[in-house]
Structure formats: structure tokens, C-alpha cells
Amino acid sequence: MSQQKIQNPETQVAKTPQMNERDFINDMLSTEKYMTASYSTALNEASNQHIYNDLLAIFNETQNCQRELYNMMFQKGWYSLEPADQMKLQQEYQQFQGYTNQFPYGANGMTQ
């Protein structure tokens, strides 16, 4: 089954050896993704509440910037998505639903 990509019409940019607008935005998006992951790790390991709060504020700013860059690339047609196959989604859901009995917390959030 062939599924069509979800994508806006692509904004054309010059194909030259120099970096163009798409290259710059893609590089910025990659950097923001890396920074978001790094701040997430730092948040998990922060023991001082004041440092944690500062890192959380920076993390949120970084995450928002990453989202804005993603939205810009998607609007310009430089980022595409593939629609999810509903049958595959249902299979994955059923597979992982079976794992819930292995979690230390039940559906109500209490220890089992």
C-alpha cells in the first residue's frame, strides 16, 4: 500500500555549494534538537532546586525554538511526514498494552 507524504508545497532555494536558507534552518533545527536532549539529561541529574529551575526555563525556551523551526520547515515544504498505517498502529498499541502489567505503577498510578 503506497501512502502519500504529508507535505506543503516546497519553497525553492538555490542549489549551490554555499549554504542556503533551508540548510541554515535545518542546521539550527538539528542543534536545537541536540540541545533539548542535553538539557533533558541535565534536568534529570540536577540536585539543586535553583539550578533545576534555571535549566527548566532554558529547556522550555529551547524546546519552543525547536518547535518554531520545525513549523517553519514544514510550512516551507522542507519537512514531510508519512501518514501512519492504522493497522500497524493498532498492532503496536496491542503489543505495548500487554507491557503495562510489568510497570511498577498500575493504571491508577498506585504501586502494584
Side-chain angles (χ1 to χ4, degrees):
M1 167 170 32
S2 174
Q3 293 187 348
Q4 191 121 12
K5 286 189 174 190
I6 300 169
Q7 182 176 13
N8 287 315
E10 186 173 347
T11 301
Q12 296 300 309
V13 291
K15 309 257 192 250
T16 65
Q18 292 80 23
M19 288 182 70
N20 56 40
E21 180 185 14
R22 178 182 177 174
D23 296 331
F24 281 111
I25 295 173
N26 193 45
D27 184 57
M28 290 167 51
L29 178 61
S30 295
T31 300
E32 294 297 329
K33 286 180 178 181
Y34 172 77
M35 290 173 59
T36 299
S38 297
Y39 281 124
S40 180
T41 299
L43 285 166
N44 290 334
E45 298 177 359
S47 60
N48 179 286
Q49 188 63 44
H50 295 293
I51 292 174
Y52 177 86
N53 292 342
D54 288 344
L55 286 171
L56 183 59
I58 296 168
F59 170 84
N60 286 330
E61 289 176 21
T62 304
Q63 182 64 39
N64 290 337
C65 184
Q66 179 269 321
R67 186 66 182 171
E68 288 174 18
L69 289 166
Y70 162 80
N71 285 336
M72 181 186 304
M73 288 195 72
F74 186 76
Q75 288 169 356
K76 290 181 176 275
W78 298 336
Y79 210 109
S80 63
L81 307 169
E82 293 183 14
D85 178 291
Q86 291 301 312
M87 181 179 275
K88 185 171 182 172
L89 279 177
Q90 186 62 33
Q91 290 170 347
E92 296 289 327
Y93 175 80
Q94 289 173 351
Q95 175 186 350
F96 288 103
Q97 188 67 23
Y99 295 157
T100 57
N101 62 353
Q102 299 174 20
F103 296 154
Y105 301 100
N108 61 4
M110 304 298 292
T111 303
Q112 292 180 344

